[in-house]
Amino acid sequence: MTWAKDPCNFLGVPSSPLIETTIPGLSQLLPAELQAIAGSAAEPTWWAMLQALRSQLAEVETGVVLTAPLPFLSDLSRLDHWLWVPEGLQGSLGLPQGNTQPTAALPLPRVLPLSLGDPLLQEPFCLVLSDRLSFLVILVPYPSQPICYFSQTPEVLAEAVRLLAQHTAHHFPALQPELARALHRFRPLANVAETWAPFWAAVLQQWPTVAASDRPSTEEVSDRSDRSTVGADLELLQAIAHEVKTPLATIRTLTRSLLRRVDLPAQARKRLEAIDLECSEQIDRFGLFFRAVELENRESQALLLARTSLTEVFAETVPRWRKQAERRSLALDLQLPERMPAVVSDPTMLDQALTSLVERFTRNLPAGSRIEIVVSLAGAQLKLRLTATELVSDPSEQPRTAPRSLGQLLTVQPETGSLSLKLEVSKNLFQALGGKLTVRRRSPQASEVITVFLPVEPSDDATTADSPR
């Protein structure tokens, strides 16, 4: 979807440099910090987020959509729409006119015509409020450096709501009570955690498609253009990671403060521990995604490898892997050598990379399956192999579709919205960690067999341990 070739001119009217530099739009009126994507990636990100909102709100029965200067999500007919447009353009946009007075049967969308120089018309925005997903996205259309701002933070959304209500009270006092009632239904502002994985997956899925129209068409893809594409993906993923990790870190902090209470009921403690684990896993996953994407950028700094105690790594990770498996009704067996050698790697990144690998492996197994992780010595390398004995699935069950590609770096599982690194990116990550990753299938119907090789630390006398088990 493209309304205009020039991202600065959605309405096809001459832009005014004076207005662009002297009258603040919504993004500049908000005191809180917003996440931002700047440059050539800004407009594709804007459109990708609108498309993601459209797909995620398709089944929502109640919600409020506030936009300017066009009805970007007007096809979501079940939602309550409020639209600020330049005076005189309602008819050309196919919108109802003259609805500045509240009536018993007020037509939708509520159209609020403004003078062309009004601050709300200087930056296209879309604010969505619903009982499951609330989001703000703004495009600052400077010709030299467009910027896409966005946020799901309740404080930012609440301030945007306050500013829009205040603007409406000043210019359309008769409509202000109607808007206040519409907005009041979604207070306090809340976002359901389960909605964000599929939402960001939808953004990433849409973004390469809309971004492709901005890239020069050429048969030869140079190293420079590859780095540029990865750099744009990195910028988008960095912003998304911040939006996901920040609220999760807050939830984890509050959860851990509650866990310190000695009078906590056992059932409440169990559920809070599950919340803490889930938050930690998602924070680590997005941190790993971002670091892996950085390593794909050839200009990024390589990892500094050092002696890494696998005994300590496994002591930290294996309990998490078991809980991860239990949540999916899977059993996990671990076999370790009698003497565990140290390896050459990055301990923190190796922990996260192995956990991500186990999570990817377990996600595609039917409930009741048994996972076997065997660690053994193979010459000067340590070998970690993941296999599974699958429970025979119900023939009536629909087979799970293959993961979809999201640009150059990620894949998404359509049924769950779960994000994973692409196999090639994972392989590159383990190579940067000093090791090697291989993935194969014994047959088309069988589960994957994943093997990780890590170099044993040369000075570790454990390299003379018994043969692999």
Side-chain angles (χ1 to χ4, degrees):
M1 178 187 298
T2 302
W3 292 88
K5 276 292 184 183
D6 180 5
C8 310
N9 197 352
F10 278 82
L11 299 170
V13 296
S15 59
S16 166
L18 180 63
I19 290 176
E20 290 177 356
T21 56
T22 60
I23 298 182
L26 185 59
S27 70
Q28 298 177 55
L29 295 174
L30 291 171
E33 182 179 353
L34 296 163
Q35 289 301 297
I37 298 290
S40 61
E43 191 183 7
T45 302
W46 156 266
W47 290 119
M49 288 183 174
L50 290 180
Q51 295 284 19
L53 286 171
R54 180 175 287 107
S55 65
Q56 296 304 303
L57 294 169
E59 302 302 321
V60 172
E61 294 293 336
T62 59
V64 180
V65 178
L66 306 100
T67 65
L70 294 172
F72 296 111
L73 300 181
S74 60
D75 51 323
L76 300 173
S77 57
R78 288 190 296 269
L79 305 185
D80 188 4
H81 289 263
W82 292 75
L83 172 63
W84 288 262
V85 300
E87 287 177 326
L89 289 187
Q90 302 100 296
S92 62
L93 293 173
L95 299 170
Q97 301 189 48
N99 62 336
T100 55
Q101 296 295 324
T103 65
L106 194 63
L108 293 179
R110 276 77 161 171
V111 180
L112 291 76
L114 300 171
S115 63
L116 190 59
D118 191 280
L120 283 188
L121 301 180
Q122 303 316 304
E123 299 172 355
F125 71 86
C126 180
L127 173 61
V128 172
L129 304 176
S130 75
D131 56 355
R132 289 187 56 80
L133 182 150
S134 298
F135 195 74
L136 171 66
V137 57
I138 305 169
L139 181 64
V140 180
Y142 295 133
S144 59
Q145 181 80 341
I147 305 173
C148 178
Y149 290 108
F150 57 94
S151 182
Q152 68 197 55
T153 306
E155 292 77 12
V156 175
L157 301 183
E159 182 62 17
V161 166
R162 189 190 69 79
L163 289 170
L164 292 174
Q166 186 181 63
H167 185 281
T168 303
H170 178 72
H171 292 279
F172 305 96
L175 280 179
Q176 199 279 331
E178 177 77 13
L179 178 60
R181 285 192 294 272
L183 297 175
H184 187 72
R185 287 181 295 166
F186 304 100
R187 290 184 181 179
L189 294 170
N191 281 308
V192 179
E194 292 82 356
T195 62
W196 290 112
F199 172 76
W200 290 118
V203 171
L204 291 169
Q205 189 172 4
Q206 291 288 340
W207 191 81
T209 304
V210 294
S213 62
D214 287 348
R215 297 172 188 158
S217 176
T218 175
E219 295 181 1
E220 296 183 2
V221 181
S222 65
D223 289 344
R224 178 180 178 183
S225 65
D226 283 341
R227 288 195 300 271
S228 174
T229 302
V230 172
D233 285 356
L234 174 62
E235 187 179 6
L236 179 61
L237 187 57
Q238 180 184 27
I240 291 175
H242 182 276
E243 281 293 287
V244 172
K245 289 165 66 178
T246 299
L248 287 178
T250 302
I251 294 170
R252 185 173 63 176
T253 300
L254 295 173
T255 300
R256 290 180 175 177
S257 68
L258 289 173
L259 285 171
R260 287 196 290 268
R261 294 183 54 172
V262 295
D263 59 341
L264 201 62
Q267 187 64 21
R269 182 174 296 278
K270 183 179 178 179
R271 294 192 177 186
L272 287 171
E273 287 173 348
I275 293 171
D276 178 77
L277 178 63
E278 183 68 27
C279 288
S280 296
E281 286 181 359
Q282 298 306 320
I283 290 170
D284 289 345
R285 282 182 72 234
F286 274 90
L288 179 69
F289 288 171
F290 179 59
R291 192 69 182 99
V293 174
E294 272 191 325
L295 293 171
E296 289 293 300
N297 186 346
R298 299 176 192 178
E299 296 177 354
S300 66
Q301 188 175 6
L303 295 174
L304 297 176
L305 307 183
R307 187 179 191 276
T308 301
S309 170
L310 273 182
T311 301
E312 295 178 2
V313 170
F314 284 140
E316 179 71 24
T317 58
V318 170
R320 295 205 307 266
W321 296 351
R322 293 193 189 281
K323 290 181 179 179
Q324 196 175 76
E326 289 171 3
R327 289 206 306 269
R328 296 186 169 96
S329 300
L330 306 172
L332 188 148
D333 293 333
L334 178 68
Q335 297 181 31
L336 300 176
E338 291 181 359
R339 301 182 66 191
M340 180 72 73
V343 296
V344 179
S345 190
D346 179 306
T348 302
M349 285 287 292
L350 181 61
D351 177 327
Q352 295 178 0
L354 290 174
T355 298
S356 176
L357 205 60
V358 172
E359 198 276 338
R360 176 184 183 273
F361 186 73
T362 59
R363 187 190 310 130
N364 297 315
L365 296 174
S369 301
R370 180 171 293 276
I371 306 159
E372 188 177 60
I373 302 177
V374 179
V375 182
S376 60
L377 284 167
Q381 293 180 312
L382 194 77
K383 177 182 175 182
L384 185 150
R385 187 183 66 181
L386 282 81
T387 58
T389 303
E390 295 189 35
L391 184 72
V392 177
S393 57
D394 185 345
S396 64
E397 289 184 2
Q398 291 295 324
R400 176 166 288 188
T401 56
R404 293 179 184 173
S405 176
L406 296 180
Q408 298 188 11
L409 307 167
L410 299 176
T411 62
V412 61
Q413 187 66 42
E415 289 87 352
T416 62
S418 297
L419 298 174
S420 298
L421 292 172
K422 277 192 170 181
L423 182 57
E424 284 304 313
V425 178
S426 294
K427 288 182 176 180
N428 293 342
L429 173 61
F430 275 95
Q431 185 175 359
L433 288 167
K436 180 182 178 181
L437 168 67
T438 64
V439 180
R440 63 183 179 87
R441 289 183 185 273
R442 293 169 178 159
S443 69
Q445 292 76 29
S447 61
E448 295 175 333
V449 177
I450 297 178
T451 309
V452 175
F453 296 92
L454 295 168
V456 172
E457 211 277 328
S459 63
D460 197 323
D461 60 3
T463 56
T464 62
D466 297 336
S467 59
R469 295 171 178 250

